[in-house]
Amino acid sequence: MFQRKIVIAGNWKMHKNAAETVAFLEELKKSGRDLGASCEVMVAPTFTSLEAGVKAAKGSNICVSAQNVHWEDKGAFTGEISGPMLNEVGVTHVIIGHSERRQYFGETDLTVNKRIKAAIRHNLIPVFCLGETLEEREAGSTFQVVKRQLVEGLGDCAPESAEKLIVAYEPVWAIGTGKTASPEQAQEVHAFLRLELAEYRGVDFANKVRILYGGSVKPDNTRELMSCPDIDGGLVGGASLKVDDFLGIIEQAS
Ligand code: 13P
């Protein structure tokens, strides 16, 4: 039995400016909890708050993540950001392929693959998001969809170790809707994803990759979700914006 360290990650989406980011992190640090002792804690502020976030997190175990990375190191790509730029700011992780990127900004499995490769090239841990829509679930194609997203998203990329890859299963119908996947529904997909990861890189690798669940995670549903054997943490949207809720989730997951 492999022990995978739980990851509790806050995806702040387009919320919190630099001052609010610093205030949140200061409060989190003051909570007196030994953050990072029993689980890894990560927050993903917006680009303009990353630098302040990295500074504020210094001396704690809180990791700071970006929410996107381009596959080129520089060039004519208005509105994008590159791996070297993220390295300069000092973040350790980057969220890639979130369903909001796929839905509103034309992200595809191919661009996700290119971004994951860029992240790995620049020593950033990809938090690779995937998940089916409500229509896909109702049509019975959940497994087919997440398999395609996983296989095409990873493609030929080569994380040197399983610790350098985090997968986040986020059923689109559960994001921001208050409708959480049941622990059984989530566990079923997580176990399936782990089997697919074993196909990709072998059982040993698959057993070490953390697979997070995302979609209306809150303090009161965390324990049940995290007690599933293949759920190794949470990617939290709304409930990661308030220190009390975020701490509550960390508490319940620990
Ligand atoms: P909510 O927790 O607000 O449902 O958002 C989940 C999410 O999209 C995290 O990436």
Side-chain angles (χ1 to χ4, degrees), residues 9-13 95 98-100 129 168 170 174-179 213-218 234-240:
N11 174 9
W12 287 354
K13 308 190 179 185
I95 296 173
H98 191 277
S99 69
E100 286 147 19
C129 304
E170 300 203 305
I175 296 178
T177 57
K179 219 167 145 188
Y213 167 79
S216 301
V217 173
K218 298 186 180 60
L235 184 55
V236 189
S240 73

Side-chain angles (χ1 to χ4, degrees), residues 1 21 25 60 65 72 74 89 102 108 121 129 148-149 155 158 165 174 180 193 199 202 228 234 245 247 254:
M1 183 69 182
T21 297
L25 291 172
S60 74
S65 172
E72 295 291 344
K74 59 181 170 188
V89 170
R102 295 177 190 258
T108 64
R121 199 167 69 240
C129 304
R148 190 207 72 228
Q149 291 173 326
L165 174 70
T180 321
L193 290 170
E199 289 271 303
C228 296
D245 287 346
L247 273 174
S254 301

Side-chain angles (χ1 to χ4, degrees), residues 132 137 169-171 173-175 177-187 189-190 213-217 221 224-225 228 231:
E132 82 288 1
R137 176 160 282 267
Y169 168 58
E170 300 203 305
W173 48 271
I175 296 178
T177 57
K179 219 167 145 188
T180 321
S182 69
E184 295 73 29
Q185 281 173 320
Q187 166 57 27
V189 178
H190 283 233
Y213 167 79
S216 301
V217 173
N221 58 27
E224 226 189 338
L225 285 161
C228 296
I231 301 183

Side-chain angles (χ1 to χ4, degrees), residues 67-139:
Q67 297 178 18
N68 195 13
V69 63
H70 195 264
W71 49 89
E72 295 291 344
D73 291 359
K74 59 181 170 188
F77 302 103
T78 304
E80 289 281 334
I81 194 141
S82 75
M85 290 163 186
L86 295 177
N87 288 155
E88 186 183 33
V89 170
V91 302
T92 49
H93 295 64
V94 58
I95 296 173
I96 295 173
H98 191 277
S99 69
E100 286 147 19
R101 299 288 319 164
R102 295 177 190 258
Q103 189 179 349
Y104 306 124
F105 302 101
E107 195 79 76
T108 64
D109 293 329
L110 179 65
T111 56
V112 166
N113 172 256
K114 294 204 237 182
R115 292 185 201 277
I116 294 177
K117 282 196 281 200
I120 291 169
R121 199 167 69 240
H122 294 292
N123 209 22
L124 297 162
I125 297 176
V127 181
F128 167 27
C129 304
L130 44 78
E132 82 288 1
T133 63
L134 183 60
E135 296 72 46
E136 289 163 341
R137 176 160 282 267
E138 285 175 347

